[in-house]
């Protein structure tokens, strides 16, 4: 890890300020937003940003991008629960949940601006966040129109994990070919992270690692760090949406 690593300094984590929320909405936000260590997208962003760069990636920029990812993940969790109309007592809490999810969504975008990566990279990150948000909404709409249930298992996890790798790659300023391979790697790990996905998780993770090695020019240390994340996925170390 590089010096000044934000993951080793929890006190400097990019937290979501909930002081302006009502107690009810604050409770929803705090329950939905995962810790950095429990979030696969945040872990991928940090690992790629810290290990795949030829120079030290700014700790504050990575910290802010991680905050954006955990806020977006919290938003997805709340939205998924809101789609499950059969949950007892959910109707009474719907307004609070919607307000809390909107708050987290706004914080996700605000955190990217706080990353202070420069106008060019920041614009790319914002566009990437917007396209990811559109993909998440499309997955919700598609599922509710088809069977009324929550989105297909693993879909949200794959979309979010892909964004985690994309943010890390942008922070590390990796070559385009490596960038694309990292996003594909994140997508595969996202699907594999959900325990309800069909069997074959170990095979899919191994395949993702092999593809990553074959299509990138990453240093052995960086590949080893990403493999550690992949093995953590196999052991169920991360929370899912």
């Amino acid at each position: 890890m590089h010096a000044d690593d934000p993951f080793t300094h929890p006190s400097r984590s990019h937290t979501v300020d909930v002081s302006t929320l009502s107690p009810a909405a604050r409770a929803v936000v705090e329950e939905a937003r995962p810790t950095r260590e429990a979030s696969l997208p945040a872990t991928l962003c940090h690992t790629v940003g810290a290990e795949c760069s030829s120079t030290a990636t700014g700790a504050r920029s990575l910290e802010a991008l991680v905050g954006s990812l955990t806020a977006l993940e919290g938003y997805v969790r709340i939205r998924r629960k809101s789609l499950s109309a059969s949950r007892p007592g959910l109707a009474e809490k719907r307004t609070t949940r919607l307000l809390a999810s909107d708050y987290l969504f706004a914080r996700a975008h605000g955190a990217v601006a706080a990353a202070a990566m420069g106008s060019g990279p920041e614009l790319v990150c914002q566009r990437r966040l917007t396209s990811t948000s559109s993909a998440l909404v499309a997955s919700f709409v598609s599922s509710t129109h088809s069977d009324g249930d929550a989105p297909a298992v693993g879909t949200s996890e794959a979309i979010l994990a892909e964004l985690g790798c994309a943010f890390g790659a942008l922070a590390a300023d990796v070559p385009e070919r490596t960038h694309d391979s990292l996003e594909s790697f994140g997508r595969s790990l996202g699907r594999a992270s959900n325990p309800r996905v069909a069997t074959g998780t170990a095979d899919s993770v191994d395949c993702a690692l092999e593809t990553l090695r074959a299509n990138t020019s990453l240093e052995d240390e960086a590949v080893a760090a990403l493999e550690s994340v992949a093995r953590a996925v196999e052991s169920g170390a991360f929370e899912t949406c």
Side-chain angles (χ1 to χ4, degrees), residues 72 75-76 79 83 105 130-144 151 155-156 159:
L72 188 63
Y75 159 81
V76 171
R79 289 289 174 161
L83 288 174
F105 186 78
T130 298
S131 65
T132 295
S133 302
S134 298
L136 288 168
V137 171
S139 73
F140 288 134
V141 172
S142 175
S143 63
T144 54
T155 300
S156 297
I159 294 171

Side-chain angles (χ1 to χ4, degrees), residues 73-212:
E73 196 169 347
Y75 159 81
V76 171
R77 289 180 177 180
I78 296 171
R79 289 289 174 161
R80 289 192 68 159
K81 286 184 178 180
S82 297
L83 288 174
S84 303
S86 61
R87 288 177 181 267
L90 184 61
E92 294 77 7
K93 299 178 181 178
R94 188 175 297 277
T95 299
T96 299
R97 288 190 176 278
L98 289 175
L99 289 172
S101 67
D102 287 347
Y103 179 82
L104 282 171
F105 186 78
R107 293 296 299 185
H109 283 269
V112 170
M117 299 168 64
S119 58
E122 180 183 327
L123 180 59
V124 175
C125 281
Q126 289 287 9
R127 286 175 174 170
R128 194 66 180 77
L129 179 56
T130 298
S131 65
T132 295
S133 302
S134 298
L136 288 168
V137 171
S139 73
F140 288 134
V141 172
S142 175
S143 63
T144 54
H145 282 183
S146 60
D147 55 18
D149 294 328
V153 172
T155 300
S156 297
E157 288 84 359
I159 294 171
L160 290 168
E162 179 181 342
L163 180 64
C165 281
F167 273 5
L170 286 165
D173 193 25
V174 301
E176 185 174 352
R177 179 186 176 189
T178 300
H179 192 137
D180 292 343
S181 295
L182 285 167
E183 287 192 24
S184 177
F185 175 71
R187 226 172 15 250
S188 297
L189 288 194
R191 291 194 188 95
S193 70
N194 194 306
R196 294 171 292 169
V197 173
T199 57
T201 295
D203 290 342
S204 64
V205 168
D206 286 339
C207 182
L209 284 167
E210 289 174 8
T211 302
L212 184 68

